[in-house]
């Protein structure tokens, strides 16, 4: 359970090698953190970095995970609850899908599978378990890209829009159960995912995203943009006539 200072005792980071995910884990209060589940393709890589920044008493549990292997997700999630309650789950798995070595449809399949199918399935499975324990918080990483389709990233944007939509619906359905879903919508974040790309306006580092992520877990707001100004940019983008939107988004 979270204590009076919103400090969790057990946290799971799914996509434990994610730079944003690790920044969130570092920014969370560690006062009561006893167990941290690191779920990743190479969880030992995550453990190596994170044991430097987490308290010595925090037990790190490494769990192998492959997003495409959806039939294994239930067993992965079961492991997160095997030793007791899970307070917070952060789902940071994701791909941008701009691999120039494969064609657009192969990229699209990868993006849809990892960002939507896998993340949504994990979220649903974890929510079911948290509902049984009567408390818990799940945070998913959506994106500013889900605001409106743009020619250069509409496949990625659609995968995030699907996940975001599911998270909002699920959060409403969970009302009164003690379980909630937070939705983080970052813009351009300087991580290995965006390495080599030209920066979009309002680019931030993962530490700035982590602050918003932790505040979301502490407060009543369920959706957070990073940086905050993107909330208003999203509003303007949504209302903007198509002709103008195409022009300013470089089509
Ligand atoms: N960076 C940005 O500008 C930005 C903006 C908005 C939203 N986001 C979202 O934020 C989240 C974290 O991104 P990040 O910037 O921290 O990038 P990152 O460091 O590349 O993290 C991506 C994570 O997803 C995991 N992953 C990818 N494909 C997988 C698969 N098939 N099976 C299992 N794990 C897989 C990666 O594992 P490996 O280490 O094994 O590859 C890694 O842990 C993602 O959901 C991303 O879409 C990022």
């Amino acid at each position: 359970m979270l204590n009076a200072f919103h400090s969790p005792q057990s946290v799971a980071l799914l996509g434990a090698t994610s730079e944003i995910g690790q920044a969130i884990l570092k920014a969370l209060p560690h006062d009561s953190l006893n167990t941290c589940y690191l779920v990743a393709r190479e969880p030992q890589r995550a453990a190596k970095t994170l044991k430097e920044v987490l308290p010595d008493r925090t037990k790190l549990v490494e769990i192998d995970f492959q997003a495409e292997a959806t039939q294994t997700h239930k067993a992965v999630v079961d492991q997160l609850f095997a030793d007791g309650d899970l307070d917070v789950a952060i789902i940071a798995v994701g791909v941008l899908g701009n691999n120039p070595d494969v064609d657009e449809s192969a990229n699209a399949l990868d993006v849809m599978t990892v960002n939507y199918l896998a993340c949504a399935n994990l979220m649903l499975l974890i929510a079911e378990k948290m509902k049984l324990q009567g408390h818990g918080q799940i945070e998913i990483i959506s994106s500013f890209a889900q605001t409106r389709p743009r020619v250069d990233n509409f496949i990625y944007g659609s995968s995030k829009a699907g996940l975001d939509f599911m998270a909002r619906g699920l959060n409403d359905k969970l009302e009164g159960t003690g379980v909630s879903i937070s939705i983080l919508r970052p813009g351009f974040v300087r991580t290995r995912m965006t390495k080599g790309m030209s920066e979009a306006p309002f680019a931030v580092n993962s530490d700035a995203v982590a602050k918003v992520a932790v505040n979301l877990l502490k407060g009543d707001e369920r959706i957070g943009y990073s940086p905050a100004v993107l909330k208003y940019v999203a509003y303007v983008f949504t209302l903007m006539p198509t002709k103008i939107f195409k022009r300013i988004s470089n089509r």
Side-chain angles (χ1 to χ4, degrees):
M1 291 276 276
L2 269 69
N3 67 16
F5 305 102
H6 288 275
S7 182
Q9 292 174 32
S10 53
V11 174
L13 177 58
L14 298 104
T17 48
S18 148
E19 287 187 40
I20 296 176
Q22 292 199 358
I24 297 172
L25 201 51
K26 286 179 207 167
L28 277 172
H30 296 160
D31 329 14
S32 323
L33 189 58
N34 295 327
T35 313
C36 190
Y37 297 92
L38 304 176
V39 183
R41 289 194 278 211
E42 296 177 86
Q44 63 291 349
R45 184 153 57 85
K48 217 170 152 186
T49 345
L50 287 165
K51 76 170 169 226
E52 308 291 327
V53 292
L54 295 176
D56 288 343
R57 64 156 199 289
T58 305
K59 182 174 138 197
L60 300 183
V61 182
E62 299 173 18
I63 301 176
D64 290 315
F65 165 73
Q66 188 73 40
E68 298 83 351
T70 50
Q71 75 284 0
T72 65
H73 289 183
K74 192 177 173 308
V76 167
V77 170
D78 284 347
Q79 289 179 67
L80 306 179
F81 296 83
D83 282 339
D85 288 5
L86 179 68
D87 297 332
V88 175
I90 299 152
I91 304 179
V93 177
V95 283
L96 197 54
N98 55 356
N99 181 354
D101 298 332
V102 295
D103 62 30
E104 193 173 57
S105 61
N107 269 323
L109 194 57
D110 194 27
V111 170
M112 292 185 292
T113 307
V114 175
N115 295 357
Y116 179 66
L117 259 189
C119 291
N121 196 37
L122 290 172
M123 177 174 68
L124 289 165
L125 289 167
I126 295 170
E128 268 313 304
K129 289 274 192 185
M130 285 183 167
K131 220 164 72 179
L132 293 176
Q133 69 184 20
H135 70 98
Q137 290 181 289
I138 304 172
E139 185 156 82
I140 58 129
I141 312 188
S142 172
S143 171
F144 177 76
Q146 64 87 46
T147 307
R148 188 167 175 169
R150 280 200 345 243
V151 160
D152 61 350
N153 73 350
F154 67 92
I155 294 172
Y156 175 80
S158 77
S159 69
K160 291 296 188 181
L163 178 64
D164 196 293
F165 192 99
M166 169 93 74
R168 282 179 279 144
L170 182 59
N171 183 62
D172 288 349
K173 191 173 178 202
L174 289 168
E175 209 175 302
T177 64
V179 183
S180 63
I181 318 281
S182 300
I183 302 170
L184 190 58
R185 292 177 180 165
F188 187 105
V189 190
R190 300 177 194 101
T191 67
R192 76 185 153 126
M193 182 177 271
T194 53
K195 203 167 181 212
M197 293 171 64
S198 48
E199 284 193 6
F202 308 114
V204 290
N205 292 328
S206 47
D207 290 351
V209 182
K211 271 193 196 147
V212 177
V214 171
N215 283 338
L216 264 183
L217 292 171
K218 284 183 186 161
D220 294 331
E221 287 283 331
R222 293 278 65 93
I223 298 176
Y225 286 84
S226 178
V229 67
L230 287 180
K231 179 178 178 177
Y232 305 100
V233 180
Y235 185 65
V236 173
F237 271 20
T238 310
L239 298 176
M240 195 176 274
T242 307
K243 234 179 181 171
I244 303 173
F245 180 71
K246 280 183 176 174
R247 202 174 318 131
I248 66 153
S249 58
N250 287 335
R251 290 195 213 177

